[in-house]
Amino acid sequence: MVRLSRISLALALALGAGAALAQSTTGSIFGQAPVADGETVVARSTTGVNREVTVGADGRYTIGSLPLGTYTVSLMQGGKAVDARNDVNLRVGSGTEVSFAGATSAAQATSLGSVTVSANTLPPVDVSSVDSRTVITAQQLAKLPLARSAEAIALLAPGVVPGYSGFTGTTNSNSLVSIGGSSVTENAYYLNGFNTTDPLSGFGGITLPYGAIDQQEILSGGYGAAYGRSDGGVISQSGKRGTNEWHFGAQLLWEPAFARGTSPNSYYVSGTQAGNIYRRYSQNNSWTATESAYVGGPLIKDKLFFFAAVEQEKQDSNSVTAVSTSYNNQYEYHDPKWYAKIDWNINDTNIVELTGASSKTQYKGNFYNYDYDTGQTGSLNSQDTSTKNDARVYIAKYTSYITDDLTLTAMYGKQKMTYYSETPGYDPSLTYILDPELQNPAVTGGAQINNAQSALTIANPDHEATTRNLRLDLSWKVGDHTITGGIDNLDSHDVDDGENAVAWEYGFGTPDVAISDAPFVAAPNTGAGGETGYYVSKYLYSTAASVRVKQRAQYLEDSWQVNDRWLVKVGLRNDQFTNYNPNGDAFLRMTKPQWAPRLGAAWDVNGDSSLKIYANAGRYYLAMPASVALRAAAGSLYTNTYYTYTGIDSNGYPTGLTQLASATGGGVSANNEYGQSPDPKTVASSGIKSEYQDEYQLGFDQQINSDWVWGMKGQVRKLRNILDDICDLDSIQAKAASLGYDVSEADMNGCYLSNPGRSNTYRIPDGNGGYVSVDMSAADFGMPQAKRSYYALETYLEHPFDGTWTGKIDYLYSKSYGNTEGQVRSDIGQTDVSATVDWDYGKLMEYSNGLLSNDRKHQLKAYGSWQVAPEWMLSGNILLMSGTPKTCLGYYGADQTNPIGYGSYYHYCGGLPSPPGAAGRQPWQHIVSLSAEYRPMWADQKLAFNVMVYNVLNESKATADYVNYGTTTAPNTNYGRVTYYSTPRYVRFGITYDF
């Protein structure tokens, strides 16, 4: 019989219930013990979990699928404990080695005394994992100076960078992150093993109250076949649980306005407004107060446990809007959260866990008139749109250790979200004014004329969404193999989604050049008042739908111990995705086998967990969220009707209108969105495939000595397929004609969901109740192959906590290069998932290959804490990053025309090719944050006073700017102005009591 090494045993049982995987809520313990007759190892936690396993004939043991917590691990002989390791804290998804003294006989073993071993003396290299993960514990969160969000915690991990500042969570206002070069919507969020990723568009997910987080795991690649639906990364939170002792505590936090810095003002840098102020940030201010409390303990000792936490955050702020609107918005947020968990140890082999959590965000604001000349705030103008978003999740999980070799885990959960919005005092008779800075100065006298309408879009107040997640996992250990298999089913419903918008949108172009060639809109000088290139359009936008998404997956995985030091993990996952339109008809059916192989290996080089070399390769598929249906399959309206004008009234409305000639004689839609509901059989190309990515990693971790660990890792990611829409109807018609088909544009959709850069087949109604199929290659559209490549090389040095200090420094060099960011587009702030400007027309993709928006060439991260004295703790966190690439988008070609009607969205700048990144980079960011905590002995160190200073240097640098250049003869005055700055300094004072 082949002898199993420590690494194989640890990984085997860990895989049994997903313990070595990203979204796990468990860990494992493994190690060596002296060989003796009747010898066992017992792991007993403060949460009442009691597991006993037999030590193998080779002196090795493993205990897998253990709930997180603090354990005492005892070596038993003859029913008596002869050695013990106390205060063993498990890390989620990881194996913890606990070995006993090297006695080789029962006689020697019985002479061993009980020993207390703290966590920092245990081996810091986890030889049981083959992936790339960072785990941040509650103890670290209590010390480190961080913003209080899952995304801020994730920024501690290598390869995680801030996303575009305008992208925030659907159910909260947290700024999102990019992991491994992917877009912000390609990450997966988990709470106690349940998938809480936003089902509408993938923008964030439900997270825990900050004080209820036991551990947060950030996985940047390499996870096993049991999980999928992410080609970015994973942010997984495990909540705290009750123990055999009752504990409670409370915390008050205050971020005062007087200690908060401000960002620089934003100015116009081009066009007729160059040098004038655009937005004043110097008068913005804010204060935040947070109250939280928790309680946990045994309802029945060793059997039934309870933990609950609540958190209430209130933010009161003001923000001066752009000079084009001239308001001072005084607003407030109320963000309450709660979390509750019940753990029931039915017996030593059966465990039930029940979890409930809620996260709400409520916003309301008032717009006051603001005078940019005097800097004074005046009377109330109007009320901003108020929102109340509520997300709740309920989870039930059952774990059965059927035998020492067979483990069953079943989890079912449901989350429900409501998205309520209203605009108090909304006046539908007032029309919103877009781009008033582009009004004709000859008409306005150089001023900007606006009105009191502050709401561009009105959302459906009845909007709701639900998600249900069912997982079944079964693990069977057979000799040197551990076979795991299961299902992962997810159902999402988006109910009463949609919004409406009406606006007058001002524009400026070359007087004698058509505003759009296709669909045709005549040049401005063909209408009265347009002789100098100024025009206006009536903008109409409307979406409305109730849709659903069904996702199914099956997987099988084998963890195989090849020999004493080599472990190979082989897995295969199959995903199926189906998206339905409002009538319940499938318009995206990607249910043919989507095989996602996973292969990983780990080598315990010295056999003592001091040096691990690991590698893995895998394929990861990404599903389409529910919001894809709104523009693609639900009959959206998106039109502009163009006019010239000779005057502007006091409301900002154009007067003396002359309608310009157009392809339709009225409103035109560049994407043919005129409110018609498309045939579900024609929405997507035939045989369309999901977005997927291949990934490769190679790295090592080494314990230099008892105080230091270091490592390196190389990572390569290649996007193999993209899913987006293509809107080039003329090319499809031309190809159809060459095939002998007479296809009318009236029978075509505005855009087709496709696999850009590949061949696609489109089904088009023939006008007689049937369909014709038109095969289109990438060359037919004049498009390149889709490309997104990410390369990274990381190295780190870590000093585990030794009772006095701990620290880690990590440097990562990376490059993200290609012609597609992914599901969304950061440089223009486009949130339409898989319906971006990219790929709509071939001309938009000329010179599109370059540095992608989430590229950060250099990243240096360092964090740690120092116990200066028994009562004093100092901590720090440093993040240094090179800036993101800049983009310049202008009109097409050397002649700066507009052949497809999109305006300034081509990869040309001033008539010259301008690939992404050619316009330079944003500046480096240097964010240094410090904190101090005082726990006085006179309060038995249960009371703590702390202060944190985020961004001590008060450095607020530009993170994004306006990218639309216009033309050399009609430059866009907004081009180059800063749209977002990084967060300036703020100070947080806190009082904490723990009992």
Side-chain angles (χ1 to χ4, degrees):
M1 177 179 178
V2 178
R3 292 158 61 89
L4 295 179
S5 73
R6 173 169 63 252
I7 182 174
S8 67
L9 289 168
L11 192 56
L13 281 183
L15 287 172
L21 297 165
Q23 298 81 356
S24 165
T25 59
T26 62
S28 64
I29 296 172
F30 66 95
Q32 299 183 86
V35 178
D37 293 336
E39 190 175 51
T40 63
V41 173
V42 174
R44 183 176 182 84
S45 78
T46 56
T47 60
V49 174
N50 192 69
R51 294 288 311 282
E52 184 172 7
V53 298
T54 301
V55 176
D58 57 358
R60 304 178 189 277
Y61 78 93
T62 185
I63 309 173
S65 303
L66 290 171
L68 299 180
T70 301
Y71 285 78
T72 296
V73 184
S74 303
L75 177 65
M76 310 292 293
Q77 290 183 0
K80 296 181 179 179
V82 296
D83 201 355
R85 303 290 185 265
N86 301 324
D87 300 323
V88 176
N89 293 304
L90 299 193
R91 288 211 169 194
V92 63
S94 301
T96 300
E97 182 179 357
V98 181
S99 292
F100 296 92
T104 58
S105 69
Q108 290 174 303
T110 57
S111 69
L112 297 174
S114 181
V115 179
T116 297
V117 179
S118 60
N120 60 287
T121 63
L122 299 173
V125 175
D126 176 17
V127 296
S128 68
S129 64
V130 298
D131 50 34
S132 297
R133 68 158 62 90
T134 300
V135 177
I136 306 298
T137 66
Q139 291 77 15
Q140 292 173 291
L141 293 179
K143 301 170 185 175
L144 293 175
L146 298 170
R148 292 167 63 87
S149 71
E151 291 78 12
I153 300 170
L155 287 174
L156 296 174
V160 182
V161 299
Y164 169 66
S165 300
F167 291 157
T168 59
T170 301
T171 55
N172 56 50
S173 56
N174 296 341
S175 295
L176 303 177
V177 295
S178 166
I179 302 179
S182 299
S183 72
V184 299
T185 62
E186 296 171 30
N187 303 323
Y189 285 69
Y190 286 80
L191 190 163
N192 281 357
F194 177 84
N195 190 326
T196 66
T197 310
D198 165 40
L200 304 183
S201 54
F203 281 86
I206 301 173
T207 56
L208 290 166
Y210 198 78
I213 301 170
D214 183 28
Q215 297 184 28
Q216 177 167 313
E217 184 181 23
I218 307 99
L219 197 92
S220 57
Y223 53 87
Y227 294 94
R229 303 175 189 139
S230 163
D231 62 8
V234 172
I235 297 176
S236 178
Q237 292 186 337
S238 297
K240 293 179 179 178
R241 62 183 70 208
T243 68
N244 267 326
E245 294 182 357
W246 281 100
H247 292 278
F248 63 86
Q251 185 177 59
L252 297 176
L253 301 173
W254 179 44
E255 298 172 15
F258 68 80
R260 182 175 290 270
T262 57
S263 297
N265 295 329
S266 178
Y267 293 85
Y268 293 103
V269 296
S270 61
T272 58
Q273 297 275 1
N276 294 334
I277 192 169
Y278 171 76
R279 187 166 183 178
R280 180 171 290 146
Y281 291 99
S282 57
Q283 290 185 317
N284 294 354
N285 219 328
S286 175
W287 63 263
T288 303
T290 305
E291 306 161 346
S292 62
Y294 71 89
V295 61
L299 299 176
I300 302 175
K301 191 172 183 180
D302 291 333
K303 285 291 183 183
L304 192 62
F305 303 88
F306 171 76
F307 183 89
V310 294
E311 177 182 285
Q312 164 69 38
E313 180 178 288
K314 180 182 178 181
Q315 177 185 353
D316 196 297
S317 309
N318 80 285
S319 177
V320 176
T321 67
V323 68
S324 56
T325 52
S326 298
Y327 299 132
N328 190 348
N329 183 17
Q330 298 183 5
Y331 61 92
E332 62 182 45
Y333 280 97
H334 291 268
D335 299 331
K337 291 184 176 183
W338 63 261
Y339 164 78
K341 190 169 192 292
I342 292 177
D343 293 270
W344 180 22
N345 301 329
I346 302 172
N347 50 43
D348 287 347
T349 58
N350 294 279
I351 298 173
V352 170
E353 303 171 53
L354 302 176
T355 299
S358 172
S359 177
K360 296 182 181 179
T361 181
Q362 303 175 44
Y363 165 88
K364 64 178 180 179
N366 294 315
F367 287 110
Y368 292 85
N369 294 313
Y370 179 81
D371 190 323
Y372 257 86
D373 292 330
T374 65
Q376 298 297 309
T377 299
S379 59
L380 177 68
N381 179 285
S382 58
Q383 291 179 286
D384 196 4
T385 298
S386 299
T387 60
K388 297 179 182 179
N389 294 337
D390 181 9
R392 287 156 286 158
V393 60
Y394 302 96
I395 312 163
K397 180 181 178 182
Y398 169 67
T399 302
S400 178
Y401 309 107
I402 301 171
T403 69
D404 286 347
D405 298 327
L406 193 63
T407 302
L408 172 68
T409 303
M411 185 207 69
Y412 178 79
K414 178 181 179 180
Q415 66 177 349
K416 182 175 182 179
M417 289 146 287
T418 58
Y419 312 90
Y420 178 78
S421 66
E422 63 173 344
T423 306
Y426 172 71
D427 184 354
S429 66
L430 281 178
T431 302
Y432 192 89
I433 304 301
L434 276 169
D435 299 329
E437 61 268 30
L438 299 182
Q439 292 170 343
N440 189 344
V443 173
T444 65
Q448 297 178 15
I449 305 176
N450 212 322
N451 61 47
Q453 182 57 269
S454 57
L456 171 61
T457 59
I458 301 297
N460 189 337
D462 298 322
H463 186 194
E464 296 182 346
T466 60
T467 299
R468 293 177 173 84
N469 189 189
L470 170 67
R471 284 196 62 96
L472 295 175
D473 303 274
L474 184 65
S475 172
W476 184 29
K477 182 176 173 293
V478 186
D480 297 338
H481 297 264
T482 298
I483 311 297
T484 56
I487 63 171
D488 178 10
N489 296 343
L490 194 69
D491 291 285
S492 302
H493 292 253
D494 184 17
V495 181
D496 291 330
D497 197 353
E499 57 186 15
N500 298 283
V502 180
W504 284 109
E505 183 174 5
Y506 286 92
F508 174 51
T510 305
D512 58 352
V513 176
I515 294 174
S516 173
D517 293 334
F520 173 74
V521 178
N525 68 1
T526 61
E531 295 82 6
T532 54
Y534 289 91
Y535 60 89
V536 71
S537 69
K538 191 64 172 287
Y539 162 76
L540 299 177
Y541 178 77
S542 178
T543 59
S546 293
V547 296
R548 64 188 179 96
V549 181
K550 182 171 71 174
Q551 302 174 31
R552 298 289 183 265
Q554 308 81 38
Y555 79 95
L556 187 65
E557 191 166 63
D558 179 18
S559 176
W560 173 34
Q561 189 65 40
V562 179
N563 58 40
D564 284 348
R565 297 186 182 183
W566 277 93
L567 173 80
V568 174
K569 183 172 69 173
V570 181
L572 187 64
R573 179 182 177 92
N574 181 26
D575 282 290
Q576 304 96 46
F577 309 137
T578 308
N579 293 58
Y580 297 89
N581 71 4
N583 297 323
D585 299 318
F587 67 91
L588 271 179
R589 191 184 297 275
M590 296 173 288
T591 55
K592 292 183 179 179
Q594 297 185 125
W595 299 117
R598 313 282 169 81
L599 175 64
W603 179 24
D604 185 0
V605 179
N606 300 319
D608 60 0
S609 299
S610 63
L611 174 60
K612 177 185 73 170
I613 297 176
Y614 64 97
N616 60 63
R619 175 165 291 180
Y620 302 86
Y621 281 89
L622 191 65
M624 292 297 102
S627 65
V628 174
L630 293 181
R631 295 283 298 277
S636 58
L637 175 70
Y638 189 173
T639 63
N640 288 80
T641 305
Y642 291 86
Y643 304 87
T644 55
Y645 57 94
T646 58
I648 298 177
D649 68 15
S650 59
N651 283 320
Y653 301 163
T655 61
L657 294 174
T658 301
Q659 185 173 331
L660 296 175
S662 70
T664 64
V668 298
S669 173
N671 297 142
N672 204 28
E673 294 179 70
Y674 294 100
Q676 73 278 20
S677 295
D679 182 341
K681 296 179 181 179
T682 67
V683 169
S685 63
S686 303
I688 192 170
K689 292 180 171 57
S690 303
E691 177 178 327
Y692 69 89
Q693 178 173 267
D694 289 341
E695 177 186 78
Y696 311 92
Q697 293 187 107
L698 175 65
F700 74 86
D701 299 304
Q702 182 179 19
Q703 182 178 4
I704 302 173
N705 53 41
S706 59
D707 294 325
W708 294 95
V709 180
W710 80 297
M712 296 186 72
K713 180 191 70 177
Q715 183 180 30
V716 176
R717 289 180 160 190
K718 295 282 188 178
L719 188 68
R720 302 300 189 188
N721 192 55
I722 190 77
L723 196 159
D724 210 306
D725 60 351
I726 293 177
C727 310
D728 188 356
L729 304 188
D730 289 343
S731 293
I732 298 176
Q733 280 185 300
K735 184 64 176 291
S738 71
L739 297 173
Y741 302 136
D742 183 14
V743 173
S744 169
E745 186 171 317
D747 293 325
M748 302 178 70
N749 300 335
C751 300
Y752 293 90
L753 291 175
S754 310
N755 293 136
R758 294 174 176 261
S759 294
N760 290 269
T761 299
Y762 301 103
R763 181 183 294 160
I764 302 172
D766 62 7
N768 299 313
Y771 303 90
V772 298
S773 292
V774 180
D775 296 326
M776 297 289 295
S777 67
D780 291 333
F781 286 120
M783 290 183 181
Q785 182 180 358
K787 179 181 180 181
R788 185 181 74 192
S789 298
Y790 175 79
Y791 308 93
L793 181 63
E794 175 215 353
T795 184
Y796 75 90
L797 180 66
E798 183 175 9
H799 183 283
F801 188 66
D802 60 3
T804 302
W805 74 283
T806 181
K808 183 176 182 179
I809 184 168
D810 188 289
Y811 170 74
L812 185 139
Y813 173 87
S814 65
K815 183 177 182 180
S816 186
Y817 187 86
N819 53 26
T820 179
E821 179 183 345
Q823 289 189 328
V824 294
R825 186 165 167 183
S826 296
D827 59 355
I828 59 174
Q830 189 172 17
T831 59
D832 298 309
V833 175
S834 292
T836 66
V837 169
D838 288 343
W839 308 109
D840 286 3
Y841 293 87
K843 287 182 171 57
L844 292 169
M845 300 307 294
E846 291 183 19
Y847 300 103
S848 61
N849 201 39
L851 295 173
L852 297 174
S853 293
N854 294 313
D855 178 72
R856 300 268 189 175
K857 189 174 183 179
H858 302 285
Q859 303 167 42
L860 180 67
K861 302 180 180 184
Y863 58 90
S865 57
W866 176 28
Q867 192 76 53
V868 182
E871 295 180 325
W872 286 95
M873 171 73 75
L874 302 180
S875 300
N877 181 29
I878 299 173
L879 174 59
L880 310 181
M881 299 180 293
S882 54
T884 55
K886 290 184 176 182
T887 301
C888 179
L889 301 174
Y891 279 71
Y892 180 75
D895 295 332
Q896 301 179 71
T897 60
N898 188 18
I900 60 171
Y902 274 34
S904 188
Y905 283 96
Y906 306 89
H907 289 283
Y908 289 86
C909 190
L912 299 175
S914 181
R921 281 187 179 269
Q922 301 293 351
W924 274 69
Q925 292 184 48
H926 314 86
I927 303 173
V928 179
S929 303
L930 301 174
S931 65
E933 182 179 79
Y934 172 58
R935 285 187 174 269
M937 290 296 185
W938 53 260
D940 199 24
Q941 293 195 309
K942 295 176 181 178
L943 179 66
F945 303 91
N946 53 72
V947 60
M948 183 206 79
V949 184
Y950 176 86
N951 192 2
V952 173
L953 304 177
N954 195 27
E955 181 183 272
S956 184
K957 294 292 186 70
T959 61
D961 56 26
Y962 196 89
V963 301
N964 302 105
Y965 175 85
T967 68
T968 51
T969 57
N972 190 326
T973 192
N974 287 301
Y975 174 70
R977 65 169 173 80
V978 177
T979 55
Y980 288 98
Y981 289 98
S982 58
T983 304
R985 181 197 62 235
Y986 65 88
V987 180
R988 186 169 68 214
F989 298 96
I991 301 176
T992 303
Y993 185 80
D994 299 287
F995 179 82

